[in-house]
Amino acid sequence: MAGAIYRTSALGHALEDALDEACPNFTESERARVLDQYDKYFLEALDNSRTRLNFKGHAANYRFVDGVWQFELDGSTHFKSETADGINSVGATLLVCTDGKVARPDKYMQAPAAGQPPAAQPPSQ
């Protein structure tokens, strides 16, 4: 699932640690089901969020792999939220950005109308 990228967040690691400690008898399929639900609800929470966050910093490194941008920001990054007062300065930051259409194809892909043929697929090489 595309949302699995959020499992590497602090919250995702805390969930995995809690599963290890509180539910040691879970099978791998039960554990996977819990983590899949986490991915689903995390993406829904992001979809419903309307908070803006502005940041200013210098990209020490950046890369684009499989539709995911990663920016490594140096230690002089400043964040400002429209809901919080003031500016917060943080140390080195890793910013990960995905395309919502890639992360949630079920939400953004539309089925063809009744009686319409499916969209043409690009020729394979």
Side-chain angles (χ1 to χ4, degrees), residues 35-95:
L35 292 173
D36 287 343
Q37 285 296 313
Y38 167 77
D39 297 337
K40 176 184 171 188
Y41 291 122
F42 201 103
L43 286 173
E44 284 180 12
L46 289 176
D47 280 346
N48 296 331
S49 174
R50 298 293 173 232
T51 302
R52 285 188 177 210
L53 179 71
N54 297 315
F55 64 93
K56 186 174 184 178
H58 298 280
N61 192 7
Y62 63 92
R63 60 184 157 272
F64 181 74
V65 178
D66 295 332
V68 178
W69 278 101
Q70 290 189 1
F71 298 93
E72 295 176 22
L73 305 176
D74 67 9
S76 61
T77 306
H78 305 287
F79 288 89
K80 182 177 181 182
S81 171
E82 64 183 22
T83 59
D85 294 333
I87 297 175
N88 296 322
S89 297
V90 296
T93 304
L94 176 64
L95 181 65

